[in-house]
Amino acid sequence: MQAHNKPKKIAWPQDQIRQAFPYLNLPIQDQALIYLDTAATSQKPQKVIDKLSHVYATQSANVHRGIYQLADQATQAYEACRQTVADFCGAESAKEILFNGGTTIGLNFLAQSLVKPRMKAGDRILTTRLEHHSNLVPWQVLCQETGSQLHYLKLKPNYQVDLADLQVQLETGAKALVIHHVSNVLGVIQDLKALAELAHQYDCLLIVDGAQAAGHLPLAISDWDVDAYVWSSHKMYGPSGLGLCYLKSDLQNQCRPFFYGGEMIHQVNDYEASYKEGPWKFEGGTPPLAQVLVLPESIAFIQDLELSAIQKHELDLAAYARQGLGELGGFDIYSPPGTGILAFNIQDVHPHDAATAYDLEGVALRAGHHCAQVLMRQLQIPACLRVSLGVYNTQAEIDAFLATSQKVKEFFTHGA
């Protein structure tokens, strides 16, 4: 491995943080685990794990139903969590926060219940070629169902939306702009405030997939003036099976329910029903109540570290990894500089083969099309490797990753 000029040591309370994550102590191939796949799912601090057990032991009553004391206490705790989430993301009101099963469910809900009723044949939805399939396929289906059209925006060399092209497209008419906040492959951050300001000049909704942003950078949803923003708990050090959806209050009044059933109704007559106001009319059935009650523990963990510090730590590590791969040579890097996710390939090595070799060295990273096949075609590759970082990753781990990268490259290019 070639020597590379190490930057100043990255300051971070790494020992304290890593001790909080029991998963990181699991041996892989009889070696210490180096987990570089946080974009797929983050690991959970022990406090979050303990909180989940505590909830099932002491708060396991259904909410918004029973009038007995424990059920009432669970309901109050559940609604208090809604306020915690609103404070975390910068919403103006807790009523703008909807709980569901995940980012994918939230995006399908917005496509079918908010946007579809507005669409007619010939209308357009704007998006980019960077989207995760969860923020692309629902809109493809909507267009097929309504006779409307999906249009891909031009991107600048750094993969941010070209605002000049966006304005041209808005001038010719669009009902919604659906876009990632942070790309799950390239790590590119979009300027949501600029997108919202431009979109709203033309009465166009801005709907954002925030799955890769929450827990990695500060959120200011009301300040950005987005119309809807969705993300998942499991990617911000929280439990799986819980999605969060911010939806402006005025849009909730215009939006029909997505799930119909218990506790979202106001009155059920023989042949028709009326519904509660938002957010409760969008939460039919038993909600993911244990996950909701646990989420404040993961939010507290994040806030103790401060999101701006988390973002800097991850950006510093990604820059360090990029520099190291560049100095090793023989690596194609697809992520633009200044991002917290590193997409790359070893030249002339299939990413699946490379990922298997990394795993044999105890390095867990992602290989594949990352649910972004449209982007893969634009990059003219079938798949790639991805390093995605979390609060628990360290500079020493990146050094180990770089040493392993050189070892893997030499194995495939020069033989064992």
Side-chain angles (χ1 to χ4, degrees):
M1 174 179 171
Q2 301 175 11
H4 55 279
N5 298 321
K6 293 184 180 180
K8 178 180 170 183
K9 182 172 174 54
I10 297 170
W12 193 244
Q14 61 186 49
D15 292 339
Q16 173 187 347
I17 292 172
R18 289 182 65 81
Q19 289 172 5
F21 292 87
Y23 189 89
L24 301 180
N25 295 321
L26 295 176
I28 301 299
Q29 311 292 352
D30 295 324
Q31 302 175 77
L33 170 65
I34 298 176
Y35 185 75
L36 302 175
D37 197 23
T38 295
T41 194
S42 64
Q43 296 311 317
K44 323 306 176 195
Q46 187 64 54
K47 286 186 176 181
V48 170
I49 297 169
D50 292 343
K51 179 65 174 181
L52 185 60
S53 177
H54 176 77
V55 166
Y56 278 124
T58 67
Q59 295 178 285
S60 190
N62 216 332
V63 298
H64 299 146
R65 290 164 172 80
I67 60 173
Y68 55 91
Q69 181 180 356
L70 292 176
D72 181 61
Q73 290 174 350
T75 297
Q76 291 184 44
Y78 181 88
E79 290 302 326
C81 292
R82 202 186 300 274
Q83 183 63 60
T84 300
V85 174
D87 294 339
F88 172 75
C89 71
E92 289 185 352
S93 168
K95 290 184 177 181
E96 294 176 313
I97 303 300
L98 321 180
F99 296 129
N100 55 44
T103 301
T104 301
I105 291 175
L107 290 166
N108 276 270
F109 154 65
L110 293 169
Q112 291 295 316
S113 297
L114 176 66
V115 179
K116 185 177 179 180
R118 300 166 176 256
M119 305 298 291
K120 62 181 185 302
D123 285 344
R124 295 194 308 157
I125 293 175
L126 307 179
T127 192
T128 79
R129 296 185 182 275
L130 274 64
E131 304 310 315
H132 188 283
H133 293 163
S134 294
N135 197 33
L136 187 59
V137 176
W139 308 108
Q140 291 177 338
V141 171
L142 183 155
C143 288
Q144 293 163 4
E145 291 174 341
T146 61
S148 49
Q149 301 171 350
L150 192 66
H151 178 84
Y152 292 100
L153 294 166
K154 292 181 181 177
L155 301 173
K156 296 186 291 187
N158 67 355
Y159 293 96
Q160 287 186 324
V161 169
D162 185 323
L163 295 180
D165 177 63
L166 173 59
Q167 180 156 1
V168 170
Q169 302 308 322
L170 290 168
E171 287 173 349
T172 56
K175 292 294 178 67
L177 166 57
V178 295
I179 193 169
H180 60 282
H181 188 182
V182 176
S183 164
N184 76 301
V185 178
L186 302 180
V188 176
I189 303 175
Q190 299 295 339
D191 186 345
L192 298 185
K193 193 166 187 175
L195 295 177
E197 182 178 355
L198 195 52
H200 292 160
Q201 290 179 23
Y202 297 89
D203 195 28
C204 176
L205 295 173
L206 175 59
I207 296 172
V208 182
D209 170 6
Q212 300 298 339
H216 297 278
L217 52 82
L219 302 183
I221 288 178
S222 291
D223 181 58
W224 297 330
D225 197 27
V226 303
D227 296 297
Y229 190 102
V230 295
W231 72 101
S232 294
S233 166
H234 78 97
K235 295 188 179 182
M236 51 176 285
Y237 313 102
S240 60
L242 172 61
L244 300 310
C245 176
Y246 163 87
L247 181 61
K248 282 183 176 178
S249 295
D250 61 327
L251 293 176
Q252 291 186 27
N253 296 331
Q254 305 169 28
C255 187
R256 64 191 185 191
F258 189 50
F259 294 105
Y260 298 86
E263 296 309 311
M264 51 76 65
I265 51 88
H266 172 66
Q267 178 70 37
V268 176
N269 299 316
D270 287 354
Y271 299 104
E272 62 182 8
S274 59
Y275 311 116
K276 293 179 179 177
E277 64 178 5
W280 302 283
K281 76 174 180 179
F282 306 112
E283 296 179 1
T286 296
L289 55 94
Q291 293 92 325
V292 170
L293 296 179
V294 169
L295 183 59
E297 195 69 52
S298 67
I299 290 176
F301 173 82
I302 291 167
Q303 290 177 329
D304 284 346
L305 293 173
E306 297 185 0
L307 277 159
S308 58
I310 291 173
Q311 183 180 22
K312 182 179 185 305
H313 174 68
E314 293 175 1
L315 290 174
D316 286 347
L317 286 180
Y320 185 59
R322 167 186 286 276
Q323 175 186 334
L325 289 181
E327 292 178 357
L328 290 176
F331 295 83
D332 294 324
I333 299 176
Y334 308 109
S335 300
T339 60
I341 295 176
L342 193 64
F344 70 100
N345 272 326
I346 304 173
Q347 292 172 4
D348 301 320
V349 180
H350 195 285
H352 290 173
D353 294 334
T356 300
Y358 276 107
D359 182 52
L360 292 173
E361 299 294 323
V363 179
L365 48 69
R366 177 84 177 270
H369 55 65
H370 311 288
C371 296
Q373 289 177 304
V374 173
L375 174 59
M376 294 297 111
R377 285 194 292 273
Q378 179 164 322
L379 296 174
Q380 298 183 334
I381 55 175
C384 67
L385 298 160
R386 182 186 70 186
V387 166
S388 55
L389 302 160
V391 297
Y392 31 63
N393 293 122
T394 67
Q395 191 168 356
E397 286 186 318
I398 300 304
D399 283 330
F401 157 73
L402 292 171
T404 300
S405 297
Q406 177 69 1
K407 186 176 180 179
V408 172
K409 182 185 73 169
E410 290 179 348
F411 176 82
F412 284 106
T413 57
H414 302 298

